[in-house]
Amino acid sequence: QDIVIAYGVHLARENEWGTGNGADSFPGASGKAYASLDGAADKNVSLNPNAITPTSDLSITKTDSPDPVVAGTNVTYTVTVTNNGPNQAQSVTVTDNLPASLTFVSCAATNGGTCGGAGNNRTVTYPTLDAGASSIITIVATVSSSASGSISNTASVAATSPTDPVPGNNSAVTSTDVTPACNAPSVTTHPTNQ
């Protein structure tokens, strides 16, 4: 009489149990099942060779300076994108579409980031971003001389792979108060006696 014994493993994500600590990494566990149905040599049947699901948690923060900013002058945004791991992120893109009250001036990025885009629609791309790595992006823009109130600006980050388990930290927003140029503090100079 033939007897079939089958067994498998519990699927686990690395962000829950740590890099390389999926269920099939523990002693005695296996990602495969073996069966002998007719007395021949055991046959190896692959049930789930990729029990570990790769993930990379990308996050982004953003600050502005100065705040408040005087209309007609420059504001600098500092964006920090971080890969919290546990895996390397592939084809990472940071997007920052500046509002109409700003005019783009310049962009710079660390850790291999390439600034691109057109007009006020700016992007910074990375072929990869290692687990635990960060990049600082600096975007400078000129505030319209007619601007007033506050300027809201959002930056976001995404990657083509692997899965991001915490999408809630993939965007960041700043709100910059604007001081009209006519209300900016004036500087009075006094001649010195020679």
Side-chain angles (χ1 to χ4, degrees):
Q1 182 175 357
D2 295 331
I3 299 175
V4 177
I5 300 175
Y7 62 94
V9 297
H10 170 70
L11 300 183
R13 296 189 302 177
E14 285 185 309
N15 67 307
E16 295 170 338
W17 290 2
T19 303
N21 288 332
D24 64 354
S25 300
F26 293 112
S30 172
K32 300 178 181 297
Y34 299 86
S36 179
L37 305 180
D38 57 5
D42 290 347
K43 295 182 179 179
N44 185 352
V45 181
S46 176
L47 295 182
N48 186 35
N50 298 313
I52 299 175
T53 302
T55 61
S56 61
D57 173 23
L58 293 174
S59 64
I60 192 169
T61 61
K62 186 174 188 180
T63 61
D64 60 330
S65 179
D67 189 354
V69 62
V70 177
T73 65
N74 288 350
V75 60
T76 299
Y77 294 105
T78 302
V79 179
T80 302
V81 57
T82 302
N83 180 1
N84 299 304
N87 296 107
Q88 183 186 74
Q90 306 286 327
S91 300
V92 177
T93 301
V94 175
T95 303
D96 191 343
N97 295 326
L98 301 174
S101 53
L102 300 177
T103 300
F104 171 77
V105 174
S106 67
C107 172
T110 64
N111 206 356
T114 301
C115 294
N120 275 13
N121 298 326
R122 310 314 301 181
T123 60
V124 179
T125 56
Y126 306 83
T128 60
L129 191 61
D130 290 336
S134 294
S135 176
I136 297 175
I137 303 165
T138 304
I139 297 175
V140 179
T142 301
V143 180
S144 169
S145 58
S146 61
S148 61
S150 65
I151 300 173
S152 179
N153 186 14
T154 301
S156 60
V157 62
T160 58
S161 64
T163 301
D164 191 329
V166 189
N169 59 7
N170 288 6
S171 64
V173 61
T174 58
S175 183
T176 310
D177 292 328
V178 179
T179 300
C182 59
N183 293 339
S186 60
V187 177
T188 304
T189 60
H190 300 281
T192 57
N193 295 325
Q194 299 294 330

